[in-house]
């Protein structure tokens, strides 16, 4: 399994998850010294995204590619191109709205014709939300609204998160984005703080309304829902934007931080509502089992689509979430 960006914070979690499941990680990145330092004893290959020949050499012999290196506006397209040339599936952990949108727009037909699978945003943001929404929808073929509220106890961002956020802000010229009326819309309106009724033990929290995440790309890519809104606890949003925001600090043997999360998904159709809540520890750490489970299912033929597809479209969402039960606790209301 080629892991691009294997020396990064999320990349190290992904490598550890692969090893735990008995896979052989192939460490790929821009700096061989960093790769060898963080993951001694594993094969390393150097490649930069603007060198297609180096990427091809780096992917030789790989069964799949997991891209953990942001900003994905820079890395996703070259690595998808390399995966298509190698004839192997591609998964990334991009939380960048525009980068994920570009992946669907640019590679959908080419990946379908090639008969391979490209899964963007197979991470805490974008992937987990999509799986939860798809599961919550159940037998509904359409819904009026989807609400995804992120209850983070704190948010100590990695350098990659900060870089990716800066790229996204630049691409949208500092504007905000929402998914309404069946499409992405950019605006300059002030984001409001509202109260969200998280279930116990978290309880009601102040959240930033329309703190828009990658779910606005993944969910409507395959579900008939014209309104998708995401929310973030005000404390976590403040942590993210604080000057000199600190990186996550490991508190256990897995390298996880003490950050906890609750993802509260509410789907509304007419007067009927359905709700599922997921809880766990460390948004970066939980991205690893999401990405690795996705690759494992692709390579063992447990998929429902080819081409570019989000988690909820390509996998059996309830079954996928059951496979994560050791890391993510689900509750239905």
């Amino acid at each position: 399994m080629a892991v691009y960006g294997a020396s990064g914070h999320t990349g190290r979690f992904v490598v550890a998850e692969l090893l735990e499941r008995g896979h052989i990680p192939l460490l790929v990145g821009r700096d061989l010294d960093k790769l060898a330092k963080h993951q001694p004893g594993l094969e390393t290959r150097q490649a930069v995204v603007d060198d297609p020949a180096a990427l091809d050499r780096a992917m030789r012999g790989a069964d799949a590619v997991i891209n953990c290196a942001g900003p994905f506006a820079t890395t996703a397209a070259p690595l998808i191109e390399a995966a298509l040339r190698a004839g192997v599936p591609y998964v990334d952990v991009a939380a960048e709205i525009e980068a994920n949108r570009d992946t669907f727009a640019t590679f959908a037909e080419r990946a379908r014709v090639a008969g391979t699978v490209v899964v963007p945003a197979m991470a805490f943001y974008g992937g987990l939300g999509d799986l939860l929404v798809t599961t919550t929808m159940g037998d509904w073929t359409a819904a009026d609204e989807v609400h995804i509220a992120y209850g983070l106890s704190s948010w100590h961002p990695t350098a990659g998160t900060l870089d990716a956020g800066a790229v996204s802000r630049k691409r949208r010229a500092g504007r905000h984005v929402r998914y309404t009326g069946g499409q992405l819309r950019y605006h300059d309106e002030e984001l409001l703080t509202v109260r969200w009724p998280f279930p116990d033990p978290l309880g009601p929290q102040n959240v930033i309304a329309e703190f828009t995440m990658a779910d606005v790309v993944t969910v409507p890519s395959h579900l008939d829902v014209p309104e998708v809104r995401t929310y973030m606890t005000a404390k976590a949003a403040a942590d993210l934007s604080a000057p000199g925001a600190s990186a996550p600090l490991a508190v256990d043997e897995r390298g996880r931080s003490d950050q906890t999360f609750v993802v509260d998904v509410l789907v509304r159709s007419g007067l009927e509502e359905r709700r599922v809540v997921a809880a766990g520890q460390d948004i970066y750490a939980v991205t690893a089992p999401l990405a690795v489970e996705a690759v494992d299912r692709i390579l063992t033929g447990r998929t429902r689509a080819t081409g570019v597809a989000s988690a909820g479209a390509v996998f059996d969402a309830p079954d996928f979430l059951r496979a994560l039960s050791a890391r993510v606790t689900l509750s239905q209301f």
Side-chain angles (χ1 to χ4, degrees):
M1 306 294 183
V3 182
Y4 193 82
S7 64
H9 188 82
T10 301
R12 296 198 298 273
F13 279 122
V14 168
V15 170
E17 185 76 19
L18 287 168
L19 289 170
E20 187 174 317
R21 292 182 180 221
H23 297 297
I24 303 173
L26 175 61
L27 313 185
V28 185
R30 293 162 285 204
D31 190 323
L32 285 179
D33 290 338
K34 284 185 178 180
L35 292 171
K37 175 183 176 182
H38 289 296
Q39 306 290 347
L42 296 175
E43 183 177 357
T44 61
R45 295 180 184 176
Q46 186 176 34
V48 292
V49 293
D50 57 358
D51 187 342
L55 288 175
D56 289 346
R57 290 192 296 271
M59 302 305 161
R60 192 169 299 142
D63 292 310
V65 179
I66 304 175
N67 180 11
C68 301
F72 293 89
T74 301
T75 66
L79 280 162
I80 295 171
E81 295 277 7
L84 289 174
R85 291 193 298 270
V88 298
Y90 166 95
V91 168
D92 70 34
V93 298
E96 298 161 46
I97 293 170
E98 291 76 20
N100 289 314
R101 180 192 60 194
D102 291 348
T103 295
F104 278 97
T106 304
F107 294 102
E109 182 62 17
R110 289 177 57 193
R112 186 191 65 79
V113 171
T116 192
V117 179
V118 172
V119 186
M122 195 63 242
F124 179 78
Y125 296 116
L128 180 58
D130 186 31
L131 291 167
L132 291 168
V133 171
T134 304
T135 298
T136 308
M137 290 274 289
D139 58 351
W140 287 355
T141 58
D144 298 323
E145 299 175 0
V146 163
H147 300 266
I148 306 171
Y150 288 101
L152 274 56
S153 63
S154 62
W155 191 352
H156 296 285
T158 64
T161 294
L162 295 174
D163 289 345
V167 169
S168 282
R169 284 192 297 275
K170 184 176 180 181
R171 290 191 68 179
R172 64 178 74 134
R175 294 173 296 168
H176 303 300
V177 61
R178 60 167 62 111
Y179 187 85
T180 184
Q183 60 182 307
L184 289 175
R185 300 178 187 270
Y186 291 87
H187 65 92
D188 296 307
E189 299 170 23
E190 182 180 355
L191 299 184
L192 302 176
T193 299
V194 300
R195 198 76 170 163
W196 184 268
F198 289 102
D200 293 334
L202 183 60
Q205 298 285 321
N206 288 338
V207 298
I208 307 299
E210 292 190 318
F211 192 100
T212 306
M213 306 304 291
D215 312 277
V216 299
V217 176
T218 56
V219 170
S221 73
H222 69 106
L223 295 175
D224 184 6
V225 183
E227 305 288 329
V228 180
R229 302 169 192 168
T230 62
Y231 309 77
M232 179 63 65
T233 42
K235 182 183 184 306
D239 289 343
L240 179 65
S241 60
S246 59
L249 179 65
V251 297
D252 66 18
E253 69 283 355
R254 287 185 173 272
R256 297 182 299 179
S257 72
D258 62 1
Q259 176 199 57
T260 58
F261 64 81
V262 172
V263 185
D264 189 1
V265 169
L266 177 68
V267 178
R268 182 175 294 121
S269 180
L271 298 178
E272 189 174 353
E273 293 183 350
R274 293 179 176 178
R275 187 180 184 189
V276 168
V277 177
Q281 179 181 346
D282 194 325
I283 64 174
Y284 297 107
V286 83
T287 286
L290 281 160
V292 174
E293 180 69 20
V295 168
D296 188 71
R297 286 174 180 252
I298 294 168
L299 294 178
T300 53
R302 291 176 291 162
T303 56
R304 295 178 165 182
T306 56
V308 180
S310 68
V314 73
F315 304 118
D316 179 332
D319 186 63
F320 195 112
L321 290 171
R322 283 192 291 272
L324 299 179
S325 60
R327 310 291 181 84
V328 179
T329 302
L330 296 183
S331 303
Q332 287 185 300
F333 295 86

